[in-house]
Amino acid sequence: MNKNSENVILPPATIGIVGGGQLGRMLTLSAKQMGYRVGILDPTPDAPAGQVADFQVIADYQDQAALQALARESDVLTYEFENVDVQALAAVQSQTSLPQGVQLLEITGNRLREKRFLADLGIAVTPFAAVPNQAALPAALAQVGTPAILKTVAGGYDGHGQLDLDGTIWPLETPTLTARSCILEARQDFTCEVAMMVARSAAGDVVTFPLVENQHRHHILHTTLAPARVPATVHAQAQRIAKKIATALTLRGVLGIEFFVLSDGQLVVNELAPRPHNSGHYSIEACNISQFEAHIRSICGLPLPEIHQTRPAVMRNLLGTDLTLARHALMTHPNWHFHDYGKAEILPQRKMGHVTCLTDDFSATLLELTNLKGDH
């Protein structure tokens, strides 16, 4: 196996992906199109990514023996989510190439470390304070103020592992959260949420995808509009920030950056994702290369082209029974690019797929997609 992350890894080499969800599935499809073999590690038999990969190791993510088995079969290793066992990954670096390393995970897998990393770079973040235990919450509230959001430092996604504190009653009875290390973040008054994907090649070239506008419901991404409907100065500001972060991280692969746009047009970084991101799905149809191909190219040492968007696009997540409605609607919507993630069970609030529409009329397309209202 090729153990030097700086070497170019060409097809038909094997790419190992830790995680078998929808991001792993789309990474696999992109890699297979380029001629690579793909192996997946995921505890769920016939996981979404496992359905399209060459093989799947069915085991828990913390199973060291299973991770070593995947590493032995892979020329390069990557991951599709940030809550990976860092120590387990570090232990297999001697067996295969891990271009992203573990520092990226150590930073982005811990909200407190991530905020401190960004602040040290001089990048604007919301005011925050560490809440290592229940007793530290009052002092953190005094420092940050309210309204605020209490979040677990590690884990949690799509609104899980967080609690809004509104300033009238801040509950000291929060054992579920404060039994774990937390971070308290001031809630920002923003005009909209935007996001940008950035990638960096082995040679150090940084490319950015267009800035997009994200609309959330119940803390879950609902709709992405690409490009974002914000002034050109905001697009340029996001690009500068993205390149600064990618360079500081010595990034390999792609990184998702979520921002708040304040009323004065300034950007505040909300979160980083060390992998492809939901808000970059539009790129499959709307850009010269997708975020998934950019990730594969970067970790394999291939050069990255400048990214350009060929058409404006709207991406709509399919949650729960939205998927069933969308399947039937395909008969009357030939303009939809439909993605089914292949998950075995439809559950409320679960991301089951997405639809992307290439469009020159955001308003008309958003109206067209309003009928997708299943049991979320």
Side-chain angles (χ1 to χ4, degrees):
M1 299 301 170
N2 188 335
K3 300 177 182 179
N4 186 347
S5 66
E6 297 305 319
N7 286 346
V8 177
I9 299 170
L10 295 173
T14 300
I15 299 171
I17 303 175
V18 181
Q22 64 265 23
L23 297 178
R25 181 186 182 95
M26 287 179 274
L27 279 171
T28 299
L29 290 170
S30 184
K32 292 293 292 177
Q33 181 176 318
M34 297 174 70
Y36 290 98
R37 296 185 72 253
V38 180
I40 302 295
L41 172 64
D42 194 280
T44 305
D46 200 32
Q51 295 167 19
V52 295
D54 293 279
F55 65 92
Q56 179 181 344
V57 178
I58 301 172
D60 190 77
Y61 302 123
Q62 284 73 42
D63 187 324
Q64 187 69 55
L67 189 57
Q68 289 175 351
L70 178 65
R72 285 194 299 269
E73 294 297 317
S74 303
D75 294 277
V76 60
L77 205 61
T78 187
Y79 41 80
E80 65 137 21
F81 63 100
E82 49 266 59
N83 298 319
V84 182
D85 188 318
V86 173
Q87 291 183 336
L89 266 185
V92 300
Q93 286 190 95
S94 61
Q95 298 178 37
T96 190
S97 172
L98 185 65
Q100 295 158 278
V102 295
Q103 183 189 31
L104 179 63
L105 280 177
E106 288 172 338
I107 293 172
T108 59
N110 182 291
R111 290 187 174 93
L112 192 57
R113 280 199 291 266
E114 181 177 287
K115 284 286 189 294
R116 287 170 174 164
F117 165 77
L118 293 167
D120 289 345
L121 282 180
I123 294 171
V125 295
T126 192
F128 66 94
V131 185
N133 51 50
Q134 180 90 3
L137 183 57
L141 281 163
Q143 176 184 335
V144 171
T146 55
I149 306 173
L150 184 67
K151 301 178 180 180
T152 55
V153 162
Y157 63 96
D158 290 345
H160 299 291
Q162 60 181 259
L163 178 70
D164 287 335
L165 303 179
D166 64 7
T168 55
I169 300 175
W170 51 271
L172 285 174
E173 61 279 5
T174 54
T176 302
L177 283 180
T178 52
R180 301 163 62 185
S181 181
C182 290
I183 181 173
L184 186 72
E185 300 178 5
R187 193 190 306 161
Q188 284 288 341
D189 185 14
F190 54 88
T191 60
C192 67
E193 295 181 66
V194 295
M196 177 173 280
M197 302 304 302
V198 60
R200 179 180 171 277
S201 71
D205 298 318
V206 179
V207 298
T208 59
F209 283 78
L211 186 69
V212 301
E213 180 181 340
N214 285 340
Q215 300 173 353
H216 292 78
R217 292 186 185 176
H218 310 296
H219 301 287
I220 301 174
L221 180 61
H222 184 268
T223 307
T224 294
L225 283 70
R229 299 171 297 181
V230 295
T233 53
V234 178
H235 287 264
Q237 183 186 167
Q239 190 175 59
R240 288 194 300 270
I241 293 171
K243 289 185 174 182
K244 186 174 186 177
I245 292 171
T247 300
L249 288 170
T250 318
L251 179 68
R252 292 289 295 278
V254 299
L255 177 80
I257 307 172
E258 295 181 285
F259 304 89
F260 296 132
V261 183
L262 305 186
S263 58
D264 61 359
Q266 294 303 300
L267 290 174
V268 169
V269 174
N270 179 33
E271 285 187 343
L272 304 179
R275 50 168 173 76
H277 190 263
N278 200 167
S279 61
H281 290 350
Y282 76 96
S283 63
I284 297 173
E285 288 85 20
C287 294
N288 56 318
I289 69 167
S290 72
Q291 63 167 340
F292 302 102
E293 182 175 341
H295 186 87
I296 297 299
R297 282 179 166 273
S298 175
I299 64 170
C300 291
L302 295 170
L304 293 167
E306 287 297 319
I307 307 300
H308 62 266
Q309 187 171 349
T310 56
R311 284 283 303 279
V314 174
M315 188 285 300
R316 165 73 151 79
N317 266 336
L318 302 175
L319 304 179
T321 55
D322 287 351
L323 179 69
T324 305
L325 294 176
R327 284 171 176 165
H328 290 290
L330 281 175
M331 293 183 290
T332 54
H333 292 87
N335 59 314
W336 286 5
H337 295 276
F338 177 71
H339 296 259
D340 185 331
Y341 299 154
K343 295 184 178 180
E345 186 178 6
I346 294 177
L347 297 173
Q349 302 286 48
R350 190 181 195 189
K351 294 172 184 171
M352 302 300 302
H354 74 267
V355 168
T356 298
C357 297
L358 303 182
T359 178
D360 295 315
D361 189 337
F362 280 169
S363 297
T365 301
L366 289 170
L367 184 62
E368 176 185 326
L369 292 169
T370 56
N371 292 328
L372 287 174
K373 295 180 180 178
D375 179 14
H376 292 183

